[in-house]
Amino acid sequence: MSSFDFTHLEKSVIEMSKIIRKPDFLTYFKKFSLVDATNSQVTLGVLSAFHKDNLSKKFYSEIKQAIKTELPSVELVDFVVDDRIEIRPETEVVDCRMLLKKSEKQTKKEQVQGVEVVQGINSRIISDRYQLSNFIVGPSTQLAHAACEAVARKPGASYNPLYLYGNVGLGKTHLLQGTANAIRSKYKNLRVVYTTTDKFITDYVSSVKSHSVDKLQDKFRQVDVLVLDDVQFLAGKKQTQEALYNIFNILYEAGKQIILSGDRPPKELTELEARLQSRFEWGITVDVGAPDYETRLAILQEKARAREFLLPQDVAEFIAENVTENVREIEGVLNQVIAEYDLRGTPPTVENIAMRLSKLAITPLTASTTTSRTLRSTTTCSYEDLIQTVSLHFGVEIRTLLSEDRRKENMIPRQVAMYLLKNRLNFTYERIGNIFSGRNHTAVMYSCKKLEQIMKKDQQVVHELNIIRDKLGI
Ligand code: ADP
Ligand code: MG
């Protein structure tokens, strides 16, 4: 039988980076060497006693699980402090951070490539996870879903364009991709292109650089169904708007279907040219609203079923009652519940979910005695409280605080809010990004770092931050 080798080690570290929360991974996973290995036992060298302790106590089962995906016969993993780790050649040491960066780059590249539908246009339908049939319909999404179905039945015939709008995490992308998937399977020869607005902007900008704008427009001319997600990102991109306007007209006049989504109704896209705004309203505009309790419960049960995970009824109800903001958050909680079960064998109970929610700073509403006791001792401040307090303190409207607005006077209040969410409420960069208009997590990370730099130089900012912390008791 083969024994565990260095390539196995590299691959299992990539696996670890997927199952361990990123902040934990970055803190505790630094360097590994392979000190000793057989087919059933692996001894890993680490930097220090601190790492040895933490890795063996906190992450043992995850590490073992990752190693076993490479070599299933491994039963025992242990750690020793490897004094020579810093002077060993590169080929004998896994640098976890570097490896993570490399693998992230790789995945990004794969995702961005998408499927080439028309020569030179990549459709980014990456998953058939999103179907109209696995979208759970509730009162707030009934109309949107029905419109998507009508469009999927006969693209170009009924509602053109179809424009869906709503807050982040409520299912717009799911509906858009579901519609695109339905059309693709029903009309095999139609060329369906799904693209994000970000991608569209990038494509346009590079066509300008290479003097091939005409070519880009010609390519879009061949599209039968154009699906464009998150058009609010066109704000301030005048030339791209112009290009889209032309493409829109060509497709529309040829009776081709156009499907769009945005975070608000066309009328409120004030930074878009009026003629584009009005085009977006030509067909039908439908709101994708937040699901009510019954729908949240049904979504949760459906997602659990799809993952073949048995979720006890009381737990499902508890989550549905307390995670009310958006569906992505509901999925996030479910993912964690499943991971806890798979990795640690912890079964989902209302108590341990309540603990988890309180760590995520979601304040449960349910007053079941034991849980509310646990919660009161751990959670005092929700993220809504935090945002509101920062908004009042600096006199910046909540809407502006959360928006993409880049005016200088709003930068520090926004950075303060992000910084506190990260450092006092332990929110992930991703989650903060979602709250702030769906920003990318790296943008959030940058803002937090920026504030740290400012605080080093400017005592006033530190003072303001402390006042806010006092008000919130965090
Ligand atoms: P948006 O594009 O509006 O930000 P997404 O479409 O990305 O939201 O939805 C976030 C997640 O929630 C996705 O994984 C999606 O599948 C899921 N989701 C949202 N609404 C529903 C629903 N009604 N039924 C099933 N899944 C849903
Ligand atoms: Mg989306």
Side-chain angles (χ1 to χ4, degrees):
M1 250 198 271
S2 62
S3 61
F4 191 83
D5 62 22
F6 190 74
T7 319
H8 286 132
L9 178 59
E10 282 186 315
K11 287 194 180 152
S12 34
V13 171
I14 292 180
E15 186 63 26
M16 291 172 205
S17 74
K18 290 183 192 151
I19 53 185
I20 284 157
R21 282 180 354 116
K22 199 161 174 186
D24 286 340
F25 186 81
L26 293 177
T27 314
Y28 300 107
F29 291 66
K30 294 280 194 244
K31 287 186 175 173
F32 285 118
S33 60
L34 193 56
V35 175
D36 192 21
T38 64
N39 59 359
S40 64
Q41 180 172 352
V42 175
T43 306
L44 297 177
V46 296
L47 272 173
S48 67
F50 167 81
H51 291 97
K52 178 181 164 193
D53 263 16
N54 279 291
L55 292 170
S56 56
K57 289 195 184 118
K58 291 193 186 142
F59 304 102
Y60 184 75
S61 61
E62 289 93 332
I63 293 174
K64 190 166 137 192
Q65 185 205 348
I67 285 181
K68 275 172 92 76
T69 55
E70 284 311 304
L71 196 67
S73 59
V74 173
E75 284 309 328
L76 198 69
V77 181
D78 54 20
F79 304 90
V80 293
V81 177
D82 179 355
D83 296 326
R84 305 194 51 239
I85 202 161
E86 293 286 22
I87 49 169
R88 282 186 194 277
E90 242 176 56
T91 47
E92 288 179 17
V93 180
V94 176
D95 182 325
C96 300
R97 235 169 232 252
M98 298 277 280
L99 199 65
L100 178 68
K101 265 199 200 141
K102 238 166 69 186
S103 93
E104 280 179 345
K105 247 194 197 153
Q106 184 65 26
T107 347
K108 210 162 177 189
K109 212 164 130 200
E110 281 162 13
Q111 279 176 0
V112 169
Q113 277 169 350
V115 189
E116 193 172 73
V117 183
V118 176
Q119 202 191 5
I121 305 178
N122 288 338
S123 179
R124 293 191 57 192
I125 295 184
I126 6 176
S127 92
D128 44 32
R129 225 161 43 95
Y130 298 126
Q131 302 290 346
L132 290 181
S133 54
N134 65 9
F135 187 85
I136 306 290
V137 183
S140 62
T141 49
Q142 200 175 7
L143 203 60
H145 185 261
C148 288
E149 289 213 299
V151 165
R153 266 195 301 276
K154 263 188 141 213
S158 40
Y159 306 121
N160 205 12
L162 166 62
Y163 183 101
L164 302 183
Y165 69 91
N167 283 338
V168 63
L170 297 181
K172 298 183 300 295
T173 297
H174 186 137
L175 285 170
L176 254 54
Q177 292 208 11
T179 312
N181 277 327
I183 299 175
R184 291 204 320 163
S185 68
K186 191 161 181 214
Y187 299 95
K188 297 259 180 321
N189 47 8
L190 287 192
R191 279 157 304 198
V192 182
V193 167
Y194 166 90
T195 185
T196 61
T197 296
D198 270 342
K199 176 76 170 49
F200 183 78
I201 296 169
T202 321
D203 285 351
Y204 174 73
V205 171
S206 51
S207 82
V208 171
K209 280 194 191 133
S210 59
H211 309 287
S212 54
V213 178
D214 290 348
K215 248 197 203 150
L216 186 80
Q217 294 203 346
D218 284 346
K219 283 172 195 157
F220 274 100
R221 228 183 259 272
Q222 302 168 50
V223 169
D224 296 304
V225 179
L226 175 65
V227 188
L228 189 59
D229 207 352
D230 288 322
V231 295
Q232 71 275 10
F233 295 130
L234 286 167
K237 311 271 187 236
K238 261 195 143 52
Q239 290 194 344
T240 315
Q241 288 180 32
E242 168 100 28
L244 179 62
Y245 177 77
N246 293 334
I247 292 170
F248 186 104
N249 288 339
I250 295 169
L251 293 181
Y252 185 86
E253 274 152 31
K256 305 295 168 76
Q257 179 70 48
I258 299 160
I259 309 175
L260 308 155
S261 84
D263 67 350
R264 64 200 86 171
K267 249 197 266 327
E268 290 173 27
L269 293 170
T270 46
E271 289 183 62
L272 249 62
E273 275 189 52
R275 55 182 189 168
L276 199 55
Q277 251 183 60
S278 88
R279 289 287 185 288
F280 288 174
E281 283 180 326
W282 270 0
I284 183 176
T285 346
V286 201
D287 169 20
V288 177
D292 60 4
Y293 168 73
E294 306 289 328
T295 316
R296 293 198 298 273
L297 187 59
I299 293 174
L300 193 58
Q301 283 163 333
E302 165 57 30
K303 302 265 169 191
R305 205 169 21 242
R307 306 269 304 264
E308 296 180 336
F309 186 79
L310 202 67
L311 196 61
Q313 183 67 14
D314 60 338
V315 172
E317 285 172 7
F318 183 77
I319 298 174
E321 265 170 58
N322 290 296
V323 187
T324 53
E325 281 293 306
N326 76 44
V327 182
R328 195 168 292 155
E329 249 173 29
I330 298 182
E331 276 191 321
V333 174
L334 177 68
N335 288 341
Q336 288 190 347
V337 169
I338 297 180
E340 291 259 319
Y341 183 74
D342 283 349
L343 303 175
R344 289 190 238 278
T346 324
T349 61
V350 171
E351 275 78 18
N352 53 39
I353 309 274
M355 293 273 281
R356 186 150 281 297
L357 295 191
S358 75
K359 275 192 207 144
L360 292 172
I362 293 170
T363 321
L365 308 162
T366 320
S368 121
T369 45
T370 47
T371 53
S372 53
R373 204 171 335 114
T374 340
L375 286 160
R376 218 166 297 134
S377 60
T378 46
T379 316
T380 43
C381 162
S382 71
Y383 82 81
E384 287 98 329
D385 291 340
L386 193 150
I387 304 265
Q388 190 170 25
T389 307
V390 172
S391 146
L392 281 173
H393 180 84
F394 289 107
V396 176
E397 267 192 359
I398 292 187
R399 216 173 41 174
T400 317
L401 198 63
L402 301 183
S403 75
E404 301 270 348
D405 177 288
R406 309 197 112 267
R407 268 174 301 176
K408 212 163 164 212
E409 64 266 31
N410 301 327
M411 290 294 198
I412 290 207
R414 187 174 301 129
Q415 286 162 353
V416 165
M418 289 179 173
Y419 178 86
L420 289 173
L421 284 169
K422 177 71 192 129
N423 294 291
R424 307 309 310 168
L425 299 191
N426 295 326
F427 275 35
T428 61
Y429 291 127
E430 277 83 350
R431 187 152 182 240
I432 300 173
N434 278 345
I435 296 170
F436 287 81
S437 318
R439 274 184 177 68
N440 188 297
H441 68 96
T442 49
V444 178
M445 195 154 71
Y446 176 77
S447 296
C448 292
K449 292 262 171 314
K450 182 86 204 166
L451 187 74
E452 279 169 21
Q453 284 167 7
I454 295 174
M455 284 194 301
K456 280 190 197 138
K457 293 193 206 121
D458 190 347
Q459 273 306 307
Q460 184 59 29
V461 177
V462 180
H463 179 64
E464 310 259 1
L465 198 91
N466 285 336
I467 296 176
I468 296 170
R469 282 184 53 189
D470 280 347
K471 280 188 194 155
L472 290 162
I474 55 175

